[in-house]
Every structure is written in structure tokens, then in C-alpha cells.
PDB file of all heavy atoms in Angstrom:
ATOM      1  N   ILE A   1      17.767  26.859  34.959  1.00 94.00           N
ATOM      2  CA  ILE A   1      17.904  28.074  34.153  1.00 94.00           C
ATOM      3  C   ILE A   1      17.565  29.302  34.993  1.00 94.00           C
ATOM      4  O   ILE A   1      18.269  30.320  34.961  1.00 94.00           O
ATOM      5  CB  ILE A   1      16.994  27.998  32.906  1.00 94.00           C
ATOM      6  CG1 ILE A   1      17.537  26.944  31.927  1.00 94.00           C
ATOM      7  CG2 ILE A   1      16.903  29.365  32.216  1.00 94.00           C
ATOM      8  CD1 ILE A   1      16.612  26.657  30.766  1.00 94.00           C
ATOM      9  N   GLN A   2      16.495  29.222  35.765  1.00 94.00           N
ATOM     10  CA  GLN A   2      16.115  30.344  36.635  1.00 94.00           C
ATOM     11  C   GLN A   2      17.227  30.684  37.627  1.00 94.00           C
ATOM     12  O   GLN A   2      17.547  31.866  37.838  1.00 94.00           O
ATOM     13  CB  GLN A   2      14.830  30.000  37.386  1.00 94.00           C
ATOM     14  CG  GLN A   2      13.600  29.897  36.504  1.00 94.00           C
ATOM     15  CD  GLN A   2      12.418  29.311  37.244  1.00 94.00           C
ATOM     16  OE1 GLN A   2      12.554  28.780  38.344  1.00 94.00           O
ATOM     17  NE2 GLN A   2      11.238  29.403  36.635  1.00 94.00           N
ATOM     18  N   LYS A   3      17.824  29.665  38.221  1.00 93.00           N
ATOM     19  CA  LYS A   3      18.889  29.888  39.203  1.00 93.00           C
ATOM     20  C   LYS A   3      20.114  30.516  38.548  1.00 93.00           C
ATOM     21  O   LYS A   3      20.726  31.443  39.110  1.00 93.00           O
ATOM     22  CB  LYS A   3      19.264  28.564  39.862  1.00 93.00           C
ATOM     23  CG  LYS A   3      18.200  28.042  40.821  1.00 93.00           C
ATOM     24  CD  LYS A   3      18.557  26.667  41.370  1.00 93.00           C
ATOM     25  CE  LYS A   3      17.481  26.174  42.337  1.00 93.00           C
ATOM     26  NZ  LYS A   3      17.731  24.784  42.801  1.00 93.00           N
ATOM     27  N   GLU A   4      20.479  30.033  37.359  1.00 93.00           N
ATOM     28  CA  GLU A   4      21.646  30.575  36.658  1.00 93.00           C
ATOM     29  C   GLU A   4      21.421  32.023  36.251  1.00 93.00           C
ATOM     30  O   GLU A   4      22.316  32.872  36.397  1.00 93.00           O
ATOM     31  CB  GLU A   4      21.955  29.725  35.417  1.00 93.00           C
ATOM     32  CG  GLU A   4      22.535  28.354  35.707  1.00 93.00           C
ATOM     33  CD  GLU A   4      23.990  28.426  36.169  1.00 93.00           C
ATOM     34  OE1 GLU A   4      24.597  29.507  36.090  1.00 93.00           O
ATOM     35  OE2 GLU A   4      24.507  27.396  36.630  1.00 93.00           O
ATOM     36  N   VAL A   5      20.240  32.321  35.754  1.00 95.00           N
ATOM     37  CA  VAL A   5      19.930  33.701  35.340  1.00 95.00           C
ATOM     38  C   VAL A   5      19.911  34.615  36.557  1.00 95.00           C
ATOM     39  O   VAL A   5      20.453  35.735  36.511  1.00 95.00           O
ATOM     40  CB  VAL A   5      18.585  33.748  34.588  1.00 95.00           C
ATOM     41  CG1 VAL A   5      18.170  35.199  34.328  1.00 95.00           C
ATOM     42  CG2 VAL A   5      18.678  32.987  33.265  1.00 95.00           C
ATOM     43  N   ALA A   6      19.307  34.155  37.640  1.00 94.00           N
ATOM     44  CA  ALA A   6      19.252  34.972  38.865  1.00 94.00           C
ATOM     45  C   ALA A   6      20.656  35.276  39.374  1.00 94.00           C
ATOM     46  O   ALA A   6      20.975  36.428  39.731  1.00 94.00           O
ATOM     47  CB  ALA A   6      18.442  34.246  39.939  1.00 94.00           C
ATOM     48  N   GLN A   7      21.518  34.274  39.394  1.00 93.00           N
ATOM     49  CA  GLN A   7      22.890  34.470  39.857  1.00 93.00           C
ATOM     50  C   GLN A   7      23.642  35.416  38.928  1.00 93.00           C
ATOM     51  O   GLN A   7      24.394  36.288  39.387  1.00 93.00           O
ATOM     52  CB  GLN A   7      23.605  33.117  39.931  1.00 93.00           C
ATOM     53  CG  GLN A   7      25.022  33.206  40.492  1.00 93.00           C
ATOM     54  CD  GLN A   7      25.688  31.846  40.563  1.00 93.00           C
ATOM     55  OE1 GLN A   7      25.292  30.912  39.888  1.00 93.00           O
ATOM     56  NE2 GLN A   7      26.718  31.737  41.380  1.00 93.00           N
ATOM     57  N   PHE A   8      23.432  35.253  37.626  1.00 93.00           N
ATOM     58  CA  PHE A   8      24.124  36.080  36.634  1.00 93.00           C
ATOM     59  C   PHE A   8      23.781  37.560  36.822  1.00 93.00           C
ATOM     60  O   PHE A   8      24.641  38.437  36.695  1.00 93.00           O
ATOM     61  CB  PHE A   8      23.738  35.616  35.234  1.00 93.00           C
ATOM     62  CG  PHE A   8      24.458  36.320  34.121  1.00 93.00           C
ATOM     63  CD1 PHE A   8      25.712  35.899  33.705  1.00 93.00           C
ATOM     64  CD2 PHE A   8      23.885  37.407  33.475  1.00 93.00           C
ATOM     65  CE1 PHE A   8      26.386  36.554  32.669  1.00 93.00           C
ATOM     66  CE2 PHE A   8      24.539  38.055  32.442  1.00 93.00           C
ATOM     67  CZ  PHE A   8      25.799  37.629  32.036  1.00 93.00           C
ATOM     68  N   PHE A   9      22.505  37.858  37.126  1.00 94.00           N
ATOM     69  CA  PHE A   9      22.061  39.247  37.257  1.00 94.00           C
ATOM     70  C   PHE A   9      22.014  39.713  38.724  1.00 94.00           C
ATOM     71  O   PHE A   9      21.487  40.789  39.011  1.00 94.00           O
ATOM     72  CB  PHE A   9      20.684  39.418  36.614  1.00 94.00           C
ATOM     73  CG  PHE A   9      20.721  39.380  35.108  1.00 94.00           C
ATOM     74  CD1 PHE A   9      20.367  38.224  34.429  1.00 94.00           C
ATOM     75  CD2 PHE A   9      21.138  40.482  34.377  1.00 94.00           C
ATOM     76  CE1 PHE A   9      20.407  38.178  33.044  1.00 94.00           C
ATOM     77  CE2 PHE A   9      21.171  40.455  32.996  1.00 94.00           C
ATOM     78  CZ  PHE A   9      20.818  39.287  32.321  1.00 94.00           C
ATOM     79  N   ASN A  10      22.544  38.859  39.608  1.00 93.00           N
ATOM     80  CA  ASN A  10      22.650  39.219  41.024  1.00 93.00           C
ATOM     81  C   ASN A  10      21.288  39.548  41.639  1.00 93.00           C
ATOM     82  O   ASN A  10      21.119  40.556  42.337  1.00 93.00           O
ATOM     83  CB  ASN A  10      23.607  40.407  41.200  1.00 93.00           C
ATOM     84  CG  ASN A  10      24.082  40.550  42.637  1.00 93.00           C
ATOM     85  OD1 ASN A  10      24.142  39.565  43.380  1.00 93.00           O
ATOM     86  ND2 ASN A  10      24.390  41.775  43.044  1.00 93.00           N
ATOM     87  N   ILE A  11      20.317  38.697  41.358  1.00 94.00           N
ATOM     88  CA  ILE A  11      19.000  38.820  41.977  1.00 94.00           C
ATOM     89  C   ILE A  11      18.628  37.442  42.538  1.00 94.00           C
ATOM     90  O   ILE A  11      19.366  36.476  42.370  1.00 94.00           O
ATOM     91  CB  ILE A  11      17.916  39.292  40.983  1.00 94.00           C
ATOM     92  CG1 ILE A  11      17.806  38.296  39.808  1.00 94.00           C
ATOM     93  CG2 ILE A  11      18.212  40.698  40.472  1.00 94.00           C
ATOM     94  CD1 ILE A  11      16.692  38.632  38.835  1.00 94.00           C
ATOM     95  N   ASN A  12      17.484  37.356  43.207  1.00 93.00           N
ATOM     96  CA  ASN A  12      17.036  36.083  43.759  1.00 93.00           C
ATOM     97  C   ASN A  12      16.128  35.349  42.773  1.00 93.00           C
ATOM     98  O   ASN A  12      15.420  35.990  41.980  1.00 93.00           O
ATOM     99  CB  ASN A  12      16.262  36.308  45.067  1.00 93.00           C
ATOM    100  CG  ASN A  12      17.141  36.902  46.152  1.00 93.00           C
ATOM    101  OD1 ASN A  12      18.300  36.511  46.304  1.00 93.00           O
ATOM    102  ND2 ASN A  12      16.597  37.852  46.906  1.00 93.00           N
ATOM    103  N   GLN A  13      16.148  34.023  42.847  1.00 93.00           N
ATOM    104  CA  GLN A  13      15.245  33.248  41.996  1.00 93.00           C
ATOM    105  C   GLN A  13      13.798  33.610  42.286  1.00 93.00           C
ATOM    106  O   GLN A  13      12.962  33.632  41.371  1.00 93.00           O
ATOM    107  CB  GLN A  13      15.470  31.743  42.206  1.00 93.00           C
ATOM    108  CG  GLN A  13      14.635  30.874  41.270  1.00 93.00           C
ATOM    109  CD  GLN A  13      14.876  29.384  41.501  1.00 93.00           C
ATOM    110  OE1 GLN A  13      15.585  29.000  42.425  1.00 93.00           O
ATOM    111  NE2 GLN A  13      14.288  28.550  40.668  1.00 93.00           N
ATOM    112  N   SER A  14      13.500  33.930  43.537  1.00 92.00           N
ATOM    113  CA  SER A  14      12.131  34.304  43.901  1.00 92.00           C
ATOM    114  C   SER A  14      11.688  35.569  43.180  1.00 92.00           C
ATOM    115  O   SER A  14      10.492  35.753  42.913  1.00 92.00           O
ATOM    116  CB  SER A  14      12.023  34.500  45.419  1.00 92.00           C
ATOM    117  OG  SER A  14      12.931  35.507  45.864  1.00 92.00           O
ATOM    118  N   ASP A  15      12.646  36.451  42.844  1.00 92.00           N
ATOM    119  CA  ASP A  15      12.305  37.652  42.081  1.00 92.00           C
ATOM    120  C   ASP A  15      11.823  37.273  40.683  1.00 92.00           C
ATOM    121  O   ASP A  15      10.869  37.861  40.148  1.00 92.00           O
ATOM    122  CB  ASP A  15      13.520  38.579  41.967  1.00 92.00           C
ATOM    123  CG  ASP A  15      13.928  39.167  43.306  1.00 92.00           C
ATOM    124  OD1 ASP A  15      13.026  39.417  44.129  1.00 92.00           O
ATOM    125  OD2 ASP A  15      15.141  39.368  43.530  1.00 92.00           O
ATOM    126  N   ILE A  16      12.507  36.303  40.082  1.00 95.00           N
ATOM    127  CA  ILE A  16      12.130  35.854  38.735  1.00 95.00           C
ATOM    128  C   ILE A  16      10.740  35.227  38.754  1.00 95.00           C
ATOM    129  O   ILE A  16       9.962  35.382  37.812  1.00 95.00           O
ATOM    130  CB  ILE A  16      13.181  34.851  38.194  1.00 95.00           C
ATOM    131  CG1 ILE A  16      14.465  35.608  37.834  1.00 95.00           C
ATOM    132  CG2 ILE A  16      12.657  34.088  36.992  1.00 95.00           C
ATOM    133  CD1 ILE A  16      15.581  34.739  37.314  1.00 95.00           C
ATOM    134  N   LEU A  17      10.414  34.521  39.832  1.00 93.00           N
ATOM    135  CA  LEU A  17       9.117  33.867  39.934  1.00 93.00           C
ATOM    136  C   LEU A  17       8.005  34.811  40.370  1.00 93.00           C
ATOM    137  O   LEU A  17       6.829  34.500  40.207  1.00 93.00           O
ATOM    138  CB  LEU A  17       9.199  32.705  40.934  1.00 93.00           C
ATOM    139  CG  LEU A  17      10.196  31.588  40.601  1.00 93.00           C
ATOM    140  CD1 LEU A  17      10.211  30.542  41.704  1.00 93.00           C
ATOM    141  CD2 LEU A  17       9.861  30.944  39.269  1.00 93.00           C
ATOM    142  N   GLY A  18       8.387  35.960  40.912  1.00 91.00           N
ATOM    143  CA  GLY A  18       7.399  36.889  41.463  1.00 91.00           C
ATOM    144  C   GLY A  18       6.756  37.801  40.436  1.00 91.00           C
ATOM    145  O   GLY A  18       6.786  37.550  39.232  1.00 91.00           O
ATOM    146  N   LYS A  19       6.194  38.906  40.927  1.00 88.00           N
ATOM    147  CA  LYS A  19       5.431  39.816  40.071  1.00 88.00           C
ATOM    148  C   LYS A  19       6.030  41.209  39.991  1.00 88.00           C
ATOM    149  O   LYS A  19       5.415  42.125  39.448  1.00 88.00           O
ATOM    150  CB  LYS A  19       3.986  39.910  40.585  1.00 88.00           C
ATOM    151  CG  LYS A  19       3.242  38.582  40.543  1.00 88.00           C
ATOM    152  CD  LYS A  19       1.815  38.740  41.035  1.00 88.00           C
ATOM    153  CE  LYS A  19       1.060  37.419  40.970  1.00 88.00           C
ATOM    154  NZ  LYS A  19      -0.337  37.542  41.452  1.00 88.00           N
ATOM    155  N   LYS A  20       7.222  41.395  40.551  1.00 88.00           N
ATOM    156  CA  LYS A  20       7.846  42.716  40.500  1.00 88.00           C
ATOM    157  C   LYS A  20       8.050  43.155  39.056  1.00 88.00           C
ATOM    158  O   LYS A  20       8.437  42.352  38.201  1.00 88.00           O
ATOM    159  CB  LYS A  20       9.191  42.694  41.230  1.00 88.00           C
ATOM    160  CG  LYS A  20       9.082  42.469  42.730  1.00 88.00           C
ATOM    161  CD  LYS A  20      10.462  42.466  43.377  1.00 88.00           C
ATOM    162  CE  LYS A  20      10.374  42.210  44.878  1.00 88.00           C
ATOM    163  NZ  LYS A  20      11.718  42.148  45.499  1.00 88.00           N
ATOM    164  N   ARG A  21       7.811  44.447  38.780  1.00 88.00           N
ATOM    165  CA  ARG A  21       7.860  44.952  37.408  1.00 88.00           C
ATOM    166  C   ARG A  21       9.041  45.881  37.165  1.00 88.00           C
ATOM    167  O   ARG A  21       9.130  46.505  36.113  1.00 88.00           O
ATOM    168  CB  ARG A  21       6.557  45.712  37.100  1.00 88.00           C
ATOM    169  CG  ARG A  21       5.299  44.887  37.224  1.00 88.00           C
ATOM    170  CD  ARG A  21       5.277  43.729  36.242  1.00 88.00           C
ATOM    171  NE  ARG A  21       5.394  44.221  34.871  1.00 88.00           N
ATOM    172  CZ  ARG A  21       5.670  43.453  33.820  1.00 88.00           C
ATOM    173  NH1 ARG A  21       5.914  42.163  33.996  1.00 88.00           N
ATOM    174  NH2 ARG A  21       5.720  43.969  32.610  1.00 88.00           N
ATOM    175  N   SER A  22       9.957  45.998  38.117  1.00 92.00           N
ATOM    176  CA  SER A  22      11.122  46.856  37.891  1.00 92.00           C
ATOM    177  C   SER A  22      11.993  46.251  36.794  1.00 92.00           C
ATOM    178  O   SER A  22      12.064  45.019  36.642  1.00 92.00           O
ATOM    179  CB  SER A  22      11.921  47.023  39.185  1.00 92.00           C
ATOM    180  OG  SER A  22      12.298  45.759  39.703  1.00 92.00           O
ATOM    181  N   LYS A  23      12.693  47.115  36.056  1.00 90.00           N
ATOM    182  CA  LYS A  23      13.434  46.661  34.887  1.00 90.00           C
ATOM    183  C   LYS A  23      14.511  45.637  35.244  1.00 90.00           C
ATOM    184  O   LYS A  23      14.752  44.690  34.493  1.00 90.00           O
ATOM    185  CB  LYS A  23      14.078  47.855  34.174  1.00 90.00           C
ATOM    186  CG  LYS A  23      14.771  47.473  32.868  1.00 90.00           C
ATOM    187  CD  LYS A  23      15.303  48.691  32.133  1.00 90.00           C
ATOM    188  CE  LYS A  23      15.981  48.275  30.833  1.00 90.00           C
ATOM    189  NZ  LYS A  23      16.525  49.442  30.088  1.00 90.00           N
ATOM    190  N   ASN A  24      15.168  45.827  36.401  1.00 92.00           N
ATOM    191  CA  ASN A  24      16.247  44.911  36.763  1.00 92.00           C
ATOM    192  C   ASN A  24      15.721  43.512  37.105  1.00 92.00           C
ATOM    193  O   ASN A  24      16.482  42.562  37.223  1.00 92.00           O
ATOM    194  CB  ASN A  24      17.038  45.462  37.955  1.00 92.00           C
ATOM    195  CG  ASN A  24      16.242  45.443  39.242  1.00 92.00           C
ATOM    196  OD1 ASN A  24      15.094  45.883  39.278  1.00 92.00           O
ATOM    197  ND2 ASN A  24      16.830  44.940  40.313  1.00 92.00           N
ATOM    198  N   ILE A  25      14.386  43.368  37.234  1.00 95.00           N
ATOM    199  CA  ILE A  25      13.759  42.064  37.464  1.00 95.00           C
ATOM    200  C   ILE A  25      13.092  41.555  36.188  1.00 95.00           C
ATOM    201  O   ILE A  25      13.215  40.378  35.830  1.00 95.00           O
ATOM    202  CB  ILE A  25      12.699  42.138  38.591  1.00 95.00           C
ATOM    203  CG1 ILE A  25      13.347  42.609  39.903  1.00 95.00           C
ATOM    204  CG2 ILE A  25      12.011  40.792  38.770  1.00 95.00           C
ATOM    205  CD1 ILE A  25      14.395  41.672  40.438  1.00 95.00           C
ATOM    206  N   VAL A  26      12.391  42.450  35.496  1.00 95.00           N
ATOM    207  CA  VAL A  26      11.615  42.045  34.313  1.00 95.00           C
ATOM    208  C   VAL A  26      12.510  41.474  33.221  1.00 95.00           C
ATOM    209  O   VAL A  26      12.206  40.427  32.633  1.00 95.00           O
ATOM    210  CB  VAL A  26      10.802  43.237  33.768  1.00 95.00           C
ATOM    211  CG1 VAL A  26      10.199  42.890  32.398  1.00 95.00           C
ATOM    212  CG2 VAL A  26       9.691  43.608  34.730  1.00 95.00           C
ATOM    213  N   VAL A  27      13.632  42.140  32.934  1.00 95.00           N
ATOM    214  CA  VAL A  27      14.503  41.673  31.847  1.00 95.00           C
ATOM    215  C   VAL A  27      15.084  40.290  32.145  1.00 95.00           C
ATOM    216  O   VAL A  27      15.018  39.395  31.295  1.00 95.00           O
ATOM    217  CB  VAL A  27      15.620  42.700  31.560  1.00 95.00           C
ATOM    218  CG1 VAL A  27      16.610  42.134  30.551  1.00 95.00           C
ATOM    219  CG2 VAL A  27      15.009  43.993  31.032  1.00 95.00           C
ATOM    220  N   PRO A  28      15.661  40.056  33.344  1.00 96.00           N
ATOM    221  CA  PRO A  28      16.125  38.699  33.648  1.00 96.00           C
ATOM    222  C   PRO A  28      15.012  37.654  33.577  1.00 96.00           C
ATOM    223  O   PRO A  28      15.231  36.531  33.133  1.00 96.00           O
ATOM    224  CB  PRO A  28      16.667  38.827  35.076  1.00 96.00           C
ATOM    225  CG  PRO A  28      17.077  40.251  35.190  1.00 96.00           C
ATOM    226  CD  PRO A  28      16.054  41.011  34.407  1.00 96.00           C
ATOM    227  N   ARG A  29      13.817  38.038  34.019  1.00 96.00           N
ATOM    228  CA  ARG A  29      12.681  37.112  33.950  1.00 96.00           C
ATOM    229  C   ARG A  29      12.381  36.741  32.493  1.00 96.00           C
ATOM    230  O   ARG A  29      12.175  35.574  32.160  1.00 96.00           O
ATOM    231  CB  ARG A  29      11.450  37.748  34.597  1.00 96.00           C
ATOM    232  CG  ARG A  29      10.222  36.825  34.624  1.00 96.00           C
ATOM    233  CD  ARG A  29       9.026  37.565  35.186  1.00 96.00           C
ATOM    234  NE  ARG A  29       9.256  37.954  36.568  1.00 96.00           N
ATOM    235  CZ  ARG A  29       8.869  39.121  37.093  1.00 96.00           C
ATOM    236  NH1 ARG A  29       8.289  40.029  36.323  1.00 96.00           N
ATOM    237  NH2 ARG A  29       9.101  39.388  38.360  1.00 96.00           N
ATOM    238  N   GLN A  30      12.381  37.750  31.620  1.00 96.00           N
ATOM    239  CA  GLN A  30      12.132  37.490  30.202  1.00 96.00           C
ATOM    240  C   GLN A  30      13.243  36.649  29.587  1.00 96.00           C
ATOM    241  O   GLN A  30      12.986  35.753  28.775  1.00 96.00           O
ATOM    242  CB  GLN A  30      11.985  38.817  29.453  1.00 96.00           C
ATOM    243  CG  GLN A  30      10.722  39.589  29.806  1.00 96.00           C
ATOM    244  CD  GLN A  30      10.657  40.955  29.144  1.00 96.00           C
ATOM    245  OE1 GLN A  30      11.691  41.528  28.757  1.00 96.00           O
ATOM    246  NE2 GLN A  30       9.465  41.491  29.017  1.00 96.00           N
ATOM    247  N   ILE A  31      14.478  36.917  29.990  1.00 96.00           N
ATOM    248  CA  ILE A  31      15.615  36.132  29.492  1.00 96.00           C
ATOM    249  C   ILE A  31      15.488  34.679  29.944  1.00 96.00           C
ATOM    250  O   ILE A  31      15.725  33.750  29.167  1.00 96.00           O
ATOM    251  CB  ILE A  31      16.940  36.745  29.982  1.00 96.00           C
ATOM    252  CG1 ILE A  31      17.220  38.059  29.237  1.00 96.00           C
ATOM    253  CG2 ILE A  31      18.097  35.763  29.787  1.00 96.00           C
ATOM    254  CD1 ILE A  31      18.437  38.806  29.736  1.00 96.00           C
ATOM    255  N   ALA A  32      15.098  34.480  31.202  1.00 96.00           N
ATOM    256  CA  ALA A  32      14.943  33.118  31.718  1.00 96.00           C
ATOM    257  C   ALA A  32      13.843  32.371  30.961  1.00 96.00           C
ATOM    258  O   ALA A  32      13.980  31.179  30.659  1.00 96.00           O
ATOM    259  CB  ALA A  32      14.626  33.157  33.213  1.00 96.00           C
ATOM    260  N   MET A  33      12.759  33.062  30.649  1.00 95.00           N
ATOM    261  CA  MET A  33      11.688  32.444  29.860  1.00 95.00           C
ATOM    262  C   MET A  33      12.186  32.117  28.457  1.00 95.00           C
ATOM    263  O   MET A  33      11.909  31.028  27.919  1.00 95.00           O
ATOM    264  CB  MET A  33      10.483  33.378  29.786  1.00 95.00           C
ATOM    265  CG  MET A  33       9.720  33.536  31.082  1.00 95.00           C
ATOM    266  SD  MET A  33       8.303  34.651  30.897  1.00 95.00           S
ATOM    267  CE  MET A  33       7.568  34.544  32.542  1.00 95.00           C
ATOM    268  N   PHE A  34      12.913  33.036  27.863  1.00 94.00           N
ATOM    269  CA  PHE A  34      13.461  32.841  26.513  1.00 94.00           C
ATOM    270  C   PHE A  34      14.375  31.616  26.474  1.00 94.00           C
ATOM    271  O   PHE A  34      14.266  30.762  25.588  1.00 94.00           O
ATOM    272  CB  PHE A  34      14.224  34.099  26.090  1.00 94.00           C
ATOM    273  CG  PHE A  34      14.905  33.994  24.755  1.00 94.00           C
ATOM    274  CD1 PHE A  34      14.225  34.249  23.579  1.00 94.00           C
ATOM    275  CD2 PHE A  34      16.250  33.624  24.680  1.00 94.00           C
ATOM    276  CE1 PHE A  34      14.861  34.146  22.344  1.00 94.00           C
ATOM    277  CE2 PHE A  34      16.892  33.519  23.461  1.00 94.00           C
ATOM    278  CZ  PHE A  34      16.192  33.782  22.284  1.00 94.00           C
ATOM    279  N   LEU A  35      15.279  31.516  27.447  1.00 94.00           N
ATOM    280  CA  LEU A  35      16.219  30.394  27.487  1.00 94.00           C
ATOM    281  C   LEU A  35      15.504  29.079  27.829  1.00 94.00           C
ATOM    282  O   LEU A  35      15.908  28.017  27.343  1.00 94.00           O
ATOM    283  CB  LEU A  35      17.329  30.672  28.501  1.00 94.00           C
ATOM    284  CG  LEU A  35      18.318  31.768  28.096  1.00 94.00           C
ATOM    285  CD1 LEU A  35      19.269  32.084  29.252  1.00 94.00           C
ATOM    286  CD2 LEU A  35      19.101  31.372  26.847  1.00 94.00           C
TER     287      LEU A  35
END
């Protein structure tokens, strides 16, 4: 799920696992948790 969400939003999976708080990272991270 993390890999699919990262690819969908054109970011790295490591961004989803990290602590960055920018909106383009936070929203995909929340979506990945939701899914």
C-alpha cells in the first residue's frame, strides 16, 4: 500500500515512512494509513 500510494503521488516510499511535514508528504502518508 505504501509503495502504491508513493507511486500514485510521485513521491518516495521513504517519504511516507519519514517525518517530513510538508503537505505533499503528509496527505499521502495519511491516505496510506487510512488504506
Side-chain angles (χ1 to χ4, degrees):
I1 290 172
Q2 292 170 348
K3 288 175 180 175
E4 288 287 350
V5 172
Q7 184 179 20
F8 184 84
F9 287 100
N10 197 27
I11 59 176
N12 296 319
Q13 184 180 6
S14 59
D15 293 326
I16 287 179
L17 300 178
K19 298 181 179 180
K20 293 180 181 178
R21 300 298 302 166
S22 56
K23 185 176 180 180
N24 69 312
I25 301 297
V26 170
V27 173
R29 182 184 297 141
Q30 291 175 337
I31 288 175
M33 289 180 177
F34 176 85
L35 290 173

